[in-house]
Each structure stands twice: as C-alpha cells, then as structure tokens.
Amino acid sequence: MDPDTYKTIATSSHGIYREKGSRFVASAYPVSDQEQIKHIIAETRKKHFDARHHCYAYMLGHERLIWRTNDDGEPSGTAGKPILGQINSYGLTNILIIVSRYFGGTLLGVSGLINAYRSAASAAINNTGIIEKTIQEYYELHFPYEVTNDVMRVIREENAGQSQHKYDLICTIMINFRLSLKATILSRLSRIDGLEYCYIETR
C-alpha cells in the first residue's frame, strides 16, 4: 500500500460458524466513529436478543491506533481478542465485527472458543470486499474574489476535491486531497495573494 492509503471493507457482511451445537453469527460493518459503533452494537443485541453472548472488536483510524475488544462474559481473551486478530491479519481499519453466540449445550473450552470466534470473524470478512482508500485531508480556504481563478487552477491541476462554495468579496471553499499531496498543494496555495487556509480534519 501507499503511505497515504488504508484498507477497510466495502459493505457490511455476515458469516456463521458452528461447533458442537453452538452457533456463532458474525457481522462485519464499515464504521467511522465510536457513536456509530455503539448504535450498531445496541441494534445487534436487539436483533439477536436470544443469543447468550455478543462479543466484538473494532479498529478505527488510518493509523490503526483506536481499538477495543469485548468478551461479553466469555472467558477472558477467548472472543474479542481472536476477533481483533482477524482484523489485524487482514490489515483492516474502520471496521467493527460482532459475533453473537447461540449456546448449544456443550462447553468448547478455551482453545475451542478461540477457534470459533476467529473462524466466525474470518467468515464475515471473507464474505465482503476489501477496498483500499486514500487518506484525505480537509481544509477551508478563504480568499478574495479576484484570485478565484488562481485558486481553482490549483484545485484542478492537483485533482483536489471541492465543496461548500461561497462566493462573495471574500470567498470560502472546502477542499480535500490525499495526504501525500499536502506539501505541494499548501505550498501553491500559500503563494496566492490574500488566501488563508484552515485545517479541518484528516480521514
């Protein structure tokens, strides 16, 4: 991968693993923040209300620094950790995987549980497409109307995205571009008379 790209899943997907009567129903979701994750977990608990456990793991951010696991009552390290292990194995981020377990009456033991949760998570990942996305930086530009052509030339030549246009004596535009182009684009913009830019976010 390029230094300004990351891998995630294209769409939500599901997978099932069965072992000694127990059924492990895995669901993988592309996610962008923790509020979205909380909502999905709550909805999953409602949908699979009769499941005994709802174990999960997630990874957020292009730097893959925000993550969490939850065993939801299973022995420590037997559920959330192997689910996260599959996320790491595929090098994914901005992903949530929840595995709901329907108990079949037979204890699986530590190794059996680890294998079951890992296999269910892998099945969910394999049932969706893995995509590569570019890391985008977003900036708000403020500039005098008379330099609009200069600004638009930079945006066009550097293939930057643009939105939220407001044209007046002082114009405002939101632009976004891949991280690797940051130095070049900001250098060109800084040479335009009267232009100011403000960093918004990276995602």
Side-chain angles (χ1 to χ4, degrees), residues 68-161:
R68 185 181 176 187
T69 65
N70 189 307
D71 294 316
D72 194 35
E74 294 281 34
S76 179
T78 63
K81 189 174 179 179
I83 295 171
L84 181 65
Q86 289 304 295
I87 293 173
N88 287 331
S89 177
Y90 288 87
L92 301 173
T93 191
N94 291 354
I95 180 175
L96 163 68
I97 300 179
I98 307 172
V99 180
S100 300
R101 180 191 182 187
Y102 292 84
F103 185 58
T106 302
L107 296 176
L108 302 182
V110 170
S111 61
L113 287 172
I114 290 173
N115 178 67
Y117 281 101
R118 179 174 58 227
S119 299
S122 179
I125 293 172
N126 287 323
N127 284 334
T128 186
I130 294 176
I131 58 174
E132 189 173 277
K133 288 190 172 183
T134 59
I135 302 166
Q136 296 281 312
E137 287 218 334
Y138 290 76
Y139 283 79
E140 188 171 83
L141 309 183
H142 303 275
F143 52 90
Y145 182 81
E146 56 266 26
V147 300
T148 299
N149 287 340
D150 297 328
V151 174
M152 298 310 292
R153 182 181 302 111
V154 174
I155 292 173
R156 182 177 64 255
E157 291 177 355
E158 300 295 342
N159 293 314

Side-chain angles (χ1 to χ4, degrees), residues 53-82:
H53 305 279
H54 303 282
C55 308
Y56 64 83
Y58 64 76
M59 181 73 70
L60 287 175
H62 65 271
E63 295 178 311
R64 306 184 75 250
L65 297 177
I66 303 170
W67 57 272
R68 185 181 176 187
T69 65
N70 189 307
D71 294 316
D72 194 35
E74 294 281 34
S76 179
T78 63
K81 189 174 179 179

